[in-house]
Amino acid sequence: MNFQSLRAGVSLLALMAVPFSAAPLAAQQAEPVTLQPVVIEIAPLKSTQEELVEGSAVLAGDDLERRRAPTLGETLARTPGVANSDFGPGAGRPVIRGQGAARVRVLQNGLDTFDASTASPDHAVVTPMDSAERVEVLRGPAALLYGSSAVGGVVSVTDGRIPMHRPKDLVEGMARLGFSTGSSALEGVGSASLAAGNNVVLHLEGFSSDASDYRVNGFASEEAREEGLKGKVENSAVERSGGSVGASYLGERGYAGFAVSGYSSLYGIPGGHEHEHEEGEEEEEDHDHEHGGVRIDMQQTRYDARFGLYEPLPFLEEASLRLGHADYRHLELEGDEVGTIFENRGWEGRLDLTHKPIFGLKGVFGVQASRRDFQAVGEEAFVPPTITDNAALFLVERYETGPWQFTGGGRLETQTVEADGLGLERDFTAVSVSAGASYRLSTDYTVGVSLSRTERAPNAEELFSDGPHLATDSYEIGNTELGKEEALHAELSLRKVRGPVTGAVNLFATRYRDYIFRDFTGGERDGLQELRYRQTDADFHGFEVEAAWTFLDRPGLALSLDGSLDYVRAENRETGEDLPLIPPLGYTIGINAYTNHVDYRLELAGAAEQDRTGANETETDGYAFLNASLAFRPIAGNDDFVLHVQGRNLTDSEGRNHISLLKDEAPLRGRELRVVGTVRF
């Protein structure tokens, strides 16, 4: 750990003691405040953060705007317990507590994203952040409601493509325009909702952005140093555009809505990872280099529908149905030549039935089903065409008595993975159960514990891969004999939710039996490292700490401090070795000032050194970035016009993301200034 990271970590540990030692002092300087409960829409029964034992986070409003980035993973990278598996600025998926890909479910408006992001880290998640209005994170198992692909956690992105409220006036909408110096990025988004009569609302939105190669401090890699390419990461440009049209009927007894949306993205893969050409193909190789290496050209067309009834039956409060279907396709371009084509046609539907209290129990039960028709054609078609079918039944219940709250539930899920070309089919049945209890120690403090047992069936990539995968610099070989993996999870939390000092501590541990992982065997095939999927026993454990202290609160001025600290460690229980691609200790410290017209924030965010490495993995130095931002409102307390100005990595420090497979070719961004203006009407 370098001195800068160590000093920041020690300072943050001192801040973490505030909830237990500084509260009396804070009470003398500021009147006690009560925060409005933050509702987690994707949690069981739409729980508040106070009611949940598991860790959670919500990004919306100014907080989301300050963190907004081209990808979902980069947007959430400073959220406690969340890291980014970035493969350059065009592809980044969230990693929660060291778990990613097939163990973290990403949702778009409550349903699957229908992309190929779980197949490879260079495949982007189709969750356009340009139009995102809210991002929710549940850390820890969320398999009861969202399936075995959520054993590590779930992330949900919400936008307004299906309008769920009537505009106060005839029309309401927003427009946002922004520019970032680090990559000369220009971004624009606009949306409008129109009330067509008393019950019908129409919605239209669109967005576009264009960013060139982003700058870093010094040389991005040794190759860049040799070629004299200083100050930027080659082949990291990103272009994105998309939009949607939607309509809803909002009545007293229910609602119905529909939307069709489109998304396209063209982004480069830093470091090249070009296909190795055989002898006699030198001319094509030069041609590829001229076009900057490998790029991915992605398109998706998506259809969403949402229906709901209030009190459809005497014992039900609400019945809601969500349906989604999408056609996804991306081309992996080597120069102007198409190397591989990935396609995914999928659909998903879920019915949630919320019942009225029965003997003090309040809960939700329902059914969920989905299909994924995936295929890859070309030089890097390391996965054969497969069809994956899922179906599930689930139930979650809550019971409250006095200061106690109990939750429990279960999920029965079936999965069939079929590879017609190989004549193979695997069937699985997974059972997951969970129970938790929380106790209000006082009006300010809540303590809770949760226990769960979840099962996850292997996916198509883990079962049937057999081919070169240049993104991981490997020849991947699946294992058709893989069985289900089982996880036993325990979590303990302490929260303070009222007063000038608020905060939360989450301690967690997960013990896996037959954990599925990618093992580099040490051999080679076709000039690439041989990688085989196999199973072992593994342990994950760690913590997240968050705290905020409003030490001055008076008319026209409020001052506060906040901070977070997160850590996870993962070990192969059979060998005692550390597992690869585990995030290091991360931290954030911020000081805020809120006035009638301008909100200010100064922040130090970074990570410690990661020297607990797995096989074929190198250590990564720590880093610390200094960020600053302000939000200016010409009319006090009015969000009709807001100007955000942000300085990111002001000291132009070098940082590398340990869990990125491109950390040696693509460091984190250097110093940049971002200016964004938002108008609402």
Side-chain angles (χ1 to χ4, degrees), residues 178-504:
F179 178 77
S180 300
T181 61
S183 55
S184 299
L186 184 64
E187 56 183 289
V189 60
S191 67
S193 294
L194 170 67
N198 294 326
N199 301 105
V200 177
V201 182
L202 307 177
H203 182 80
L204 177 68
E205 68 181 37
F207 61 87
S208 179
S209 66
D210 190 352
S212 60
D213 294 344
Y214 72 90
R215 69 169 298 279
V216 294
N217 179 16
F219 296 99
S221 63
E222 288 303 318
E223 290 79 5
R225 185 185 301 276
E226 292 172 3
E227 297 180 20
L229 301 175
K230 183 178 181 180
K232 65 179 181 179
V233 175
E234 294 292 308
N235 198 35
S236 61
V238 183
E239 299 176 20
R240 301 188 313 278
S241 62
S244 66
V245 178
S248 292
Y249 175 87
L250 306 175
E252 293 183 1
R253 295 296 309 277
Y255 55 86
F258 178 80
V260 57
S261 58
Y263 177 82
S264 65
S265 177
L266 177 64
Y267 61 93
I269 303 298
H273 291 273
E274 295 98 337
H275 171 66
E276 296 293 334
H277 294 276
E278 303 293 336
E279 275 188 50
E281 295 188 68
E282 291 85 354
E283 185 177 340
E284 291 184 22
E285 185 173 316
D286 292 341
H287 184 67
D288 286 355
H289 181 75
E290 187 177 313
H291 283 77
V294 176
R295 295 171 298 151
I296 291 184
D297 186 0
M298 173 192 300
Q299 297 88 30
Q300 186 191 72
T301 302
R302 175 172 175 144
Y303 306 89
D304 285 280
R306 185 174 179 179
F307 307 93
L309 288 174
Y310 306 122
E311 297 188 345
L313 294 171
F315 65 94
L316 291 180
E317 285 187 358
E318 182 180 352
S320 64
L321 174 66
R322 298 176 191 252
L323 299 170
H325 168 78
D327 289 325
Y328 167 95
R329 187 172 191 254
H330 86 239
L331 313 178
E332 299 198 348
L333 305 174
E334 300 178 20
D336 291 330
E337 301 295 323
V338 177
T340 309
I341 301 173
F342 288 84
E343 294 181 338
N344 183 28
R345 298 189 64 189
W347 63 263
E348 182 178 9
R350 62 177 296 129
L351 174 65
D352 292 83
L353 303 170
T354 304
H355 69 75
K356 296 179 180 179
I358 302 174
F359 302 112
L361 288 171
K362 185 176 181 180
V364 58
F365 60 98
V367 296
Q368 182 178 0
S370 65
R371 166 168 281 210
R372 176 181 186 248
D373 187 348
F374 180 82
Q375 66 174 345
V377 179
E379 297 172 345
E380 199 185 338
F382 62 95
V383 183
T386 58
I387 294 177
T388 304
D389 289 308
N390 283 82
L393 300 171
F394 58 86
L395 169 70
V396 178
E397 296 288 340
R398 175 186 296 160
Y399 179 78
E400 294 187 43
T401 175
W404 287 96
Q405 176 182 279
F406 301 94
T407 59
R411 182 184 180 94
L412 176 65
E413 180 175 347
T414 64
Q415 174 176 294
T416 300
V417 186
E418 182 180 1
D420 273 344
L422 303 178
L424 295 174
E425 178 181 309
R426 292 294 310 276
D427 297 300
F428 302 92
T429 299
V431 177
S432 299
V433 293
S434 177
S438 62
Y439 182 78
R440 290 190 298 276
L441 297 170
S442 67
T443 57
D444 295 349
Y445 287 91
T446 301
V447 63
V449 62
S450 69
L451 302 170
S452 65
R453 176 191 177 276
T454 59
E455 292 183 332
R456 184 182 75 87
N459 62 21
E461 290 78 15
E462 294 164 335
L463 289 168
F464 301 126
S465 291
D466 188 5
H469 190 183
L470 302 184
T472 57
D473 192 29
S474 63
Y475 191 101
E476 294 198 7
I477 303 172
N479 183 349
T480 59
E481 301 301 317
L482 290 176
K484 296 180 295 183
E485 64 178 26
E486 176 188 308
L488 298 176
H489 178 85
E491 187 152 351
L492 177 66
S493 69
L494 173 66
R495 285 180 171 75
K496 187 175 187 297
V497 297
R498 293 174 181 83
V501 178
T502 59

